[in-house]
Short mmCIF file of all heavy atoms in Angstrom, two decimals:
data_model
loop_
_atom_site.label_atom_id
_atom_site.label_comp_id
_atom_site.label_asym_id
_atom_site.label_seq_id
_atom_site.Cartn_x
_atom_site.Cartn_y
_atom_site.Cartn_z
N ARG A 86 42.64 15.84 89.89
CA ARG A 86 41.91 14.61 89.57
C ARG A 86 41.68 14.49 88.06
O ARG A 86 41.84 13.41 87.47
CB ARG A 86 40.58 14.56 90.31
CG ARG A 86 40.71 14.15 91.74
CD ARG A 86 39.35 13.77 92.34
NE ARG A 86 38.32 14.77 92.19
CZ ARG A 86 38.06 15.73 93.07
NH1 ARG A 86 38.76 15.82 94.17
NH2 ARG A 86 37.09 16.60 92.80
N ARG A 87 41.32 15.61 87.40
CA ARG A 87 41.13 15.61 85.95
C ARG A 87 42.44 15.29 85.24
O ARG A 87 42.46 14.55 84.26
CB ARG A 87 40.59 16.96 85.48
CG ARG A 87 39.13 17.16 85.82
CD ARG A 87 38.62 18.50 85.37
NE ARG A 87 38.81 18.78 83.97
CZ ARG A 87 38.82 19.98 83.42
NH1 ARG A 87 38.59 21.04 84.20
NH2 ARG A 87 39.04 20.16 82.13
N ARG A 88 43.55 15.84 85.75
CA ARG A 88 44.87 15.56 85.15
C ARG A 88 45.19 14.08 85.30
O ARG A 88 45.67 13.46 84.36
CB ARG A 88 45.92 16.41 85.84
CG ARG A 88 47.27 16.31 85.20
CD ARG A 88 48.36 17.03 86.04
NE ARG A 88 49.57 17.18 85.34
CZ ARG A 88 50.42 16.16 85.13
NH1 ARG A 88 50.14 14.95 85.54
NH2 ARG A 88 51.56 16.36 84.46
N SER A 89 44.96 13.52 86.48
CA SER A 89 45.23 12.10 86.71
C SER A 89 44.39 11.23 85.76
O SER A 89 44.86 10.24 85.21
CB SER A 89 44.95 11.74 88.14
OG SER A 89 45.13 10.40 88.39
N ALA A 90 43.13 11.57 85.57
CA ALA A 90 42.24 10.85 84.67
C ALA A 90 42.75 10.87 83.25
O ALA A 90 42.73 9.88 82.52
CB ALA A 90 40.81 11.37 84.76
N GLU A 91 43.25 12.06 82.82
CA GLU A 91 43.78 12.20 81.46
C GLU A 91 45.00 11.30 81.29
O GLU A 91 45.19 10.65 80.27
CB GLU A 91 44.13 13.62 81.15
CG GLU A 91 42.92 14.52 80.91
CD GLU A 91 42.12 14.17 79.73
OE1 GLU A 91 42.67 13.70 78.69
OE2 GLU A 91 40.87 14.33 79.77
N GLU A 92 45.89 11.24 82.33
CA GLU A 92 47.06 10.39 82.26
C GLU A 92 46.66 8.91 82.14
O GLU A 92 47.27 8.16 81.41
CB GLU A 92 47.95 10.58 83.47
CG GLU A 92 48.73 11.89 83.46
CD GLU A 92 49.56 12.10 84.71
OE1 GLU A 92 49.23 11.47 85.78
OE2 GLU A 92 50.51 12.84 84.65
N ASP A 93 45.64 8.52 82.91
CA ASP A 93 45.16 7.13 82.86
C ASP A 93 44.62 6.81 81.47
O ASP A 93 44.85 5.71 80.93
CB ASP A 93 44.10 6.88 83.90
CG ASP A 93 44.62 6.95 85.31
OD1 ASP A 93 45.85 6.84 85.51
OD2 ASP A 93 43.81 7.15 86.26
N ARG A 94 43.91 7.75 80.89
CA ARG A 94 43.36 7.54 79.51
C ARG A 94 44.52 7.37 78.52
O ARG A 94 44.46 6.49 77.63
CB ARG A 94 42.46 8.70 79.11
CG ARG A 94 41.17 8.74 79.88
CD ARG A 94 40.38 9.99 79.57
NE ARG A 94 39.92 9.99 78.22
CZ ARG A 94 39.35 11.07 77.65
NH1 ARG A 94 39.22 12.19 78.33
NH2 ARG A 94 38.94 11.00 76.42
N ILE A 95 45.54 8.21 78.61
CA ILE A 95 46.67 8.12 77.71
C ILE A 95 47.34 6.77 77.84
O ILE A 95 47.66 6.10 76.84
CB ILE A 95 47.65 9.30 77.96
CG1 ILE A 95 47.07 10.62 77.51
CG2 ILE A 95 48.99 9.02 77.25
CD1 ILE A 95 47.89 11.83 77.90
N ASN A 96 47.56 6.34 79.07
CA ASN A 96 48.23 5.02 79.31
C ASN A 96 47.38 3.88 78.72
O ASN A 96 47.92 2.96 78.13
CB ASN A 96 48.49 4.81 80.78
CG ASN A 96 49.57 5.75 81.27
OD1 ASN A 96 50.43 6.20 80.53
ND2 ASN A 96 49.51 6.07 82.57
N ARG A 97 46.04 3.97 78.88
CA ARG A 97 45.16 2.95 78.37
C ARG A 97 45.20 2.90 76.82
O ARG A 97 45.31 1.86 76.23
CB ARG A 97 43.71 3.17 78.85
CG ARG A 97 42.77 2.06 78.45
CD ARG A 97 41.36 2.33 78.84
NE ARG A 97 40.79 3.29 77.88
CZ ARG A 97 40.15 4.41 78.22
NH1 ARG A 97 40.00 4.74 79.45
NH2 ARG A 97 39.69 5.20 77.29
N TRP A 98 45.20 4.10 76.19
CA TRP A 98 45.26 4.17 74.76
C TRP A 98 46.57 3.64 74.20
O TRP A 98 46.64 3.03 73.17
CB TRP A 98 45.01 5.58 74.25
CG TRP A 98 43.58 6.03 74.44
CD1 TRP A 98 42.48 5.27 74.42
CD2 TRP A 98 43.15 7.37 74.61
NE1 TRP A 98 41.33 6.04 74.61
CE2 TRP A 98 41.72 7.35 74.71
CE3 TRP A 98 43.80 8.62 74.74
CZ2 TRP A 98 40.97 8.49 74.91
CZ3 TRP A 98 43.01 9.73 74.93
CH2 TRP A 98 41.63 9.69 75.00
N LYS A 99 47.64 3.92 74.92
CA LYS A 99 48.98 3.43 74.49
C LYS A 99 49.06 1.92 74.59
O LYS A 99 49.65 1.27 73.72
CB LYS A 99 50.08 4.07 75.32
CG LYS A 99 50.38 5.51 74.94
CD LYS A 99 51.52 6.07 75.73
CE LYS A 99 51.86 7.47 75.30
NZ LYS A 99 53.00 8.04 76.06
N ARG A 100 48.42 1.32 75.62
CA ARG A 100 48.40 -0.13 75.74
C ARG A 100 47.59 -0.77 74.64
O ARG A 100 47.91 -1.88 74.17
CB ARG A 100 47.83 -0.54 77.10
CG ARG A 100 48.78 -0.44 78.24
CD ARG A 100 48.21 -1.12 79.49
NE ARG A 100 46.85 -0.76 79.78
CZ ARG A 100 46.46 0.22 80.61
NH1 ARG A 100 47.36 0.93 81.24
NH2 ARG A 100 45.19 0.47 80.83
N GLU A 101 46.53 -0.12 74.19
CA GLU A 101 45.64 -0.66 73.15
C GLU A 101 46.24 -0.55 71.76
O GLU A 101 45.74 -1.11 70.84
CB GLU A 101 44.30 0.04 73.20
CG GLU A 101 43.49 -0.26 74.45
CD GLU A 101 42.20 0.53 74.51
OE1 GLU A 101 41.91 1.29 73.55
OE2 GLU A 101 41.48 0.36 75.49
N GLY A 102 47.30 0.21 71.63
CA GLY A 102 47.94 0.36 70.33
C GLY A 102 47.97 1.83 69.94
O GLY A 102 47.47 2.70 70.62
N GLY A 103 48.61 2.11 68.82
CA GLY A 103 48.80 3.49 68.41
C GLY A 103 47.67 4.06 67.57
O GLY A 103 47.86 5.08 66.88
N LYS A 104 46.49 3.43 67.61
CA LYS A 104 45.41 3.90 66.73
C LYS A 104 44.70 5.14 67.26
O LYS A 104 43.88 5.71 66.57
CB LYS A 104 44.43 2.79 66.47
CG LYS A 104 43.83 2.20 67.74
CD LYS A 104 42.96 0.99 67.38
CE LYS A 104 42.48 0.32 68.66
NZ LYS A 104 41.66 -0.83 68.36
N PHE A 105 44.98 5.59 68.50
CA PHE A 105 44.32 6.74 69.09
C PHE A 105 45.23 7.94 69.19
O PHE A 105 45.26 8.66 70.16
CB PHE A 105 43.78 6.41 70.49
CG PHE A 105 42.76 5.31 70.52
CD1 PHE A 105 43.07 4.05 71.01
CD2 PHE A 105 41.47 5.52 70.04
CE1 PHE A 105 42.17 3.06 71.02
CE2 PHE A 105 40.53 4.55 70.04
CZ PHE A 105 40.86 3.29 70.55
N ARG A 106 46.05 8.16 68.18
CA ARG A 106 47.13 9.17 68.21
C ARG A 106 46.53 10.57 68.41
O ARG A 106 47.06 11.37 69.18
CB ARG A 106 47.93 9.15 66.90
CG ARG A 106 49.17 9.95 66.94
CD ARG A 106 50.17 9.28 67.86
NE ARG A 106 50.90 10.33 68.58
CZ ARG A 106 51.44 10.21 69.78
NH1 ARG A 106 51.38 9.06 70.41
NH2 ARG A 106 52.05 11.19 70.34
N ALA A 107 45.44 10.91 67.70
CA ALA A 107 44.82 12.23 67.82
C ALA A 107 44.26 12.44 69.25
O ALA A 107 44.40 13.53 69.82
CB ALA A 107 43.70 12.40 66.83
N SER A 108 43.66 11.41 69.80
CA SER A 108 43.11 11.52 71.15
C SER A 108 44.23 11.68 72.19
O SER A 108 44.12 12.44 73.13
CB SER A 108 42.31 10.26 71.50
OG SER A 108 41.19 10.17 70.63
N ILE A 109 45.33 10.97 71.97
CA ILE A 109 46.46 11.08 72.86
C ILE A 109 47.04 12.50 72.80
O ILE A 109 47.33 13.13 73.84
CB ILE A 109 47.55 10.03 72.52
CG1 ILE A 109 47.02 8.64 72.87
CG2 ILE A 109 48.83 10.33 73.24
CD1 ILE A 109 47.93 7.50 72.39
N ASP A 110 47.17 13.05 71.62
CA ASP A 110 47.70 14.41 71.47
C ASP A 110 46.77 15.41 72.14
O ASP A 110 47.24 16.36 72.82
CB ASP A 110 47.87 14.77 70.00
CG ASP A 110 48.99 13.98 69.33
OD1 ASP A 110 49.85 13.46 70.08
OD2 ASP A 110 49.00 13.91 68.09
N ARG A 111 45.48 15.24 71.99
CA ARG A 111 44.51 16.12 72.60
C ARG A 111 44.60 16.03 74.13
O ARG A 111 44.52 17.02 74.83
CB ARG A 111 43.08 15.81 72.11
CG ARG A 111 42.07 16.86 72.55
CD ARG A 111 40.71 16.65 71.87
NE ARG A 111 40.17 15.33 72.17
CZ ARG A 111 39.79 14.44 71.26
NH1 ARG A 111 39.91 14.72 69.98
NH2 ARG A 111 39.32 13.27 71.63
N SER A 112 44.80 14.82 74.65
CA SER A 112 44.92 14.67 76.11
C SER A 112 46.20 15.31 76.62
O SER A 112 46.20 15.86 77.73
CB SER A 112 44.90 13.17 76.47
OG SER A 112 43.60 12.65 76.29
N TYR A 113 47.28 15.23 75.86
CA TYR A 113 48.50 15.92 76.27
C TYR A 113 48.31 17.42 76.34
O TYR A 113 48.79 18.07 77.25
CB TYR A 113 49.69 15.60 75.32
CG TYR A 113 50.38 14.29 75.63
CD1 TYR A 113 50.55 13.32 74.65
CD2 TYR A 113 50.88 14.04 76.89
CE1 TYR A 113 51.22 12.16 74.92
CE2 TYR A 113 51.53 12.85 77.22
CZ TYR A 113 51.69 11.92 76.20
OH TYR A 113 52.34 10.72 76.47
N GLU A 114 47.57 17.98 75.40
CA GLU A 114 47.26 19.41 75.42
C GLU A 114 46.39 19.74 76.64
O GLU A 114 46.60 20.78 77.28
CB GLU A 114 46.58 19.84 74.11
CG GLU A 114 47.45 19.82 72.91
CD GLU A 114 48.67 20.74 73.07
OE1 GLU A 114 48.50 21.88 73.58
OE2 GLU A 114 49.75 20.34 72.67
N MET A 115 45.44 18.86 76.94
CA MET A 115 44.61 19.08 78.13
C MET A 115 45.45 19.06 79.39
O MET A 115 45.25 19.88 80.30
CB MET A 115 43.50 18.00 78.20
CG MET A 115 42.63 18.12 79.41
SD MET A 115 41.62 19.58 79.42
CE MET A 115 40.35 19.13 78.34
N ILE A 116 46.40 18.14 79.48
CA ILE A 116 47.27 18.05 80.67
C ILE A 116 48.10 19.33 80.81
O ILE A 116 48.25 19.86 81.87
CB ILE A 116 48.16 16.80 80.60
CG1 ILE A 116 47.32 15.56 80.86
CG2 ILE A 116 49.33 16.90 81.58
CD1 ILE A 116 48.06 14.27 80.67
N LYS A 117 48.63 19.83 79.68
CA LYS A 117 49.39 21.11 79.73
C LYS A 117 48.52 22.21 80.23
O LYS A 117 48.96 23.05 81.06
CB LYS A 117 49.92 21.46 78.33
CG LYS A 117 51.10 20.64 77.89
CD LYS A 117 51.56 21.07 76.53
CE LYS A 117 52.59 20.16 75.96
NZ LYS A 117 53.00 20.51 74.60
N SER A 118 47.30 22.29 79.76
CA SER A 118 46.35 23.36 80.16
C SER A 118 46.06 23.19 81.66
O SER A 118 46.05 24.21 82.40
CB SER A 118 45.08 23.23 79.32
OG SER A 118 44.08 24.10 79.85
N LEU A 119 45.81 21.98 82.10
CA LEU A 119 45.54 21.80 83.54
C LEU A 119 46.71 22.12 84.41
O LEU A 119 46.56 22.71 85.49
CB LEU A 119 45.06 20.32 83.76
CG LEU A 119 43.71 19.96 83.24
CD1 LEU A 119 43.47 18.44 83.31
CD2 LEU A 119 42.60 20.67 84.02
N ASP A 120 47.92 21.77 83.98
CA ASP A 120 49.13 22.13 84.71
C ASP A 120 49.27 23.64 84.89
O ASP A 120 49.60 24.12 85.93
CB ASP A 120 50.37 21.57 84.01
CG ASP A 120 50.53 20.07 84.20
OD1 ASP A 120 49.94 19.52 85.15
OD2 ASP A 120 51.29 19.46 83.44
N ARG A 121 48.97 24.36 83.82
CA ARG A 121 49.01 25.83 83.86
C ARG A 121 48.01 26.38 84.86
O ARG A 121 48.30 27.25 85.66
CB ARG A 121 48.79 26.38 82.44
CG ARG A 121 49.20 27.79 82.24
CD ARG A 121 49.18 28.24 80.77
NE ARG A 121 48.22 27.61 79.91
CZ ARG A 121 48.50 26.66 79.00
NH1 ARG A 121 49.71 26.23 78.82
NH2 ARG A 121 47.51 26.15 78.23
N GLU A 122 46.77 25.83 84.81
CA GLU A 122 45.73 26.30 85.73
C GLU A 122 46.07 25.96 87.18
O GLU A 122 45.82 26.79 88.07
CB GLU A 122 44.37 25.68 85.34
CG GLU A 122 43.85 26.20 84.02
CD GLU A 122 42.56 25.48 83.55
OE1 GLU A 122 41.98 24.74 84.39
OE2 GLU A 122 42.21 25.65 82.40
N ILE A 123 46.60 24.76 87.41
CA ILE A 123 47.00 24.39 88.77
C ILE A 123 48.10 25.32 89.26
O ILE A 123 48.09 25.78 90.43
CB ILE A 123 47.45 22.93 88.81
CG1 ILE A 123 46.23 22.00 88.60
CG2 ILE A 123 48.14 22.57 90.10
CD1 ILE A 123 46.60 20.53 88.34
N TYR A 124 49.04 25.64 88.40
CA TYR A 124 50.13 26.54 88.79
C TYR A 124 49.58 27.90 89.17
O TYR A 124 50.01 28.48 90.17
CB TYR A 124 51.10 26.64 87.63
CG TYR A 124 52.24 27.62 87.83
CD1 TYR A 124 53.33 27.29 88.66
CD2 TYR A 124 52.22 28.86 87.23
CE1 TYR A 124 54.35 28.16 88.85
CE2 TYR A 124 53.26 29.74 87.42
CZ TYR A 124 54.33 29.42 88.23
OH TYR A 124 55.35 30.31 88.44
N GLU A 125 48.66 28.44 88.35
CA GLU A 125 48.07 29.73 88.65
C GLU A 125 47.29 29.77 89.97
O GLU A 125 47.38 30.68 90.75
CB GLU A 125 47.19 30.21 87.49
CG GLU A 125 47.95 30.55 86.25
CD GLU A 125 47.03 30.78 85.05
OE1 GLU A 125 45.82 30.70 85.19
OE2 GLU A 125 47.60 31.03 83.97
N LEU A 126 46.53 28.68 90.23
CA LEU A 126 45.79 28.57 91.46
C LEU A 126 46.70 28.49 92.67
O LEU A 126 46.43 29.10 93.71
CB LEU A 126 44.84 27.39 91.43
CG LEU A 126 43.62 27.49 90.53
CD1 LEU A 126 42.90 26.14 90.40
CD2 LEU A 126 42.66 28.55 91.03
N ARG A 127 47.79 27.74 92.54
CA ARG A 127 48.72 27.68 93.66
C ARG A 127 49.40 29.00 93.90
O ARG A 127 49.62 29.39 95.06
CB ARG A 127 49.79 26.58 93.37
CG ARG A 127 49.26 25.19 93.55
CD ARG A 127 50.31 24.15 93.33
NE ARG A 127 49.79 22.86 93.60
CZ ARG A 127 50.35 21.77 93.10
NH1 ARG A 127 51.40 21.78 92.34
NH2 ARG A 127 49.80 20.58 93.38
N ASN A 128 49.72 29.74 92.83
CA ASN A 128 50.29 31.09 93.00
C ASN A 128 49.31 32.02 93.69
O ASN A 128 49.67 32.82 94.55
CB ASN A 128 50.72 31.65 91.65
CG ASN A 128 52.03 31.10 91.19
OD1 ASN A 128 52.77 30.50 91.98
ND2 ASN A 128 52.30 31.27 89.91
N GLU A 129 48.02 31.93 93.28
CA GLU A 129 47.01 32.75 93.91
C GLU A 129 46.88 32.44 95.40
O GLU A 129 46.76 33.33 96.22
CB GLU A 129 45.69 32.51 93.20
CG GLU A 129 44.55 33.38 93.68
CD GLU A 129 43.25 33.17 92.89
OE1 GLU A 129 43.32 32.59 91.79
OE2 GLU A 129 42.19 33.52 93.44
N ARG A 130 46.93 31.17 95.73
CA ARG A 130 46.88 30.76 97.14
C ARG A 130 48.08 31.28 97.92
O ARG A 130 47.91 31.78 99.06
CB ARG A 130 46.87 29.24 97.18
CG ARG A 130 46.67 28.67 98.54
CD ARG A 130 46.47 27.16 98.48
NE ARG A 130 46.39 26.61 99.80
CZ ARG A 130 47.06 25.57 100.22
NH1 ARG A 130 47.87 24.93 99.38
NH2 ARG A 130 46.95 25.16 101.45
N MET A 131 49.26 31.25 97.36
CA MET A 131 50.43 31.76 98.02
C MET A 131 50.37 33.28 98.19
O MET A 131 50.78 33.82 99.24
CB MET A 131 51.74 31.41 97.29
CG MET A 131 52.09 29.91 97.36
SD MET A 131 52.17 29.29 99.04
CE MET A 131 53.55 30.15 99.65
#
Side-chain angles (χ1 to χ4, degrees):
R86 283 194 306 268
R87 284 179 56 200
R88 186 188 190 287
S89 177
E91 288 295 326
E92 286 178 337
D93 293 342
R94 290 173 67 189
I95 289 172
N96 291 333
R97 187 184 77 230
W98 288 331
K99 284 183 177 180
R100 280 192 311 266
E101 292 176 1
K104 57 186 175 182
F105 298 108
R106 192 71 217 153
S108 297
I109 291 172
D110 291 341
R111 189 172 58 236
S112 288
Y113 277 127
E114 291 300 319
M115 178 65 79
I116 287 174
K117 286 180 187 176
S118 172
L119 289 171
D120 284 341
R121 196 169 33 254
E122 291 174 14
I123 290 169
Y124 176 76
E125 289 172 2
L126 287 171
R127 285 183 176 157
N128 282 344
E129 185 177 340
R130 184 172 176 228
M131 289 306 295

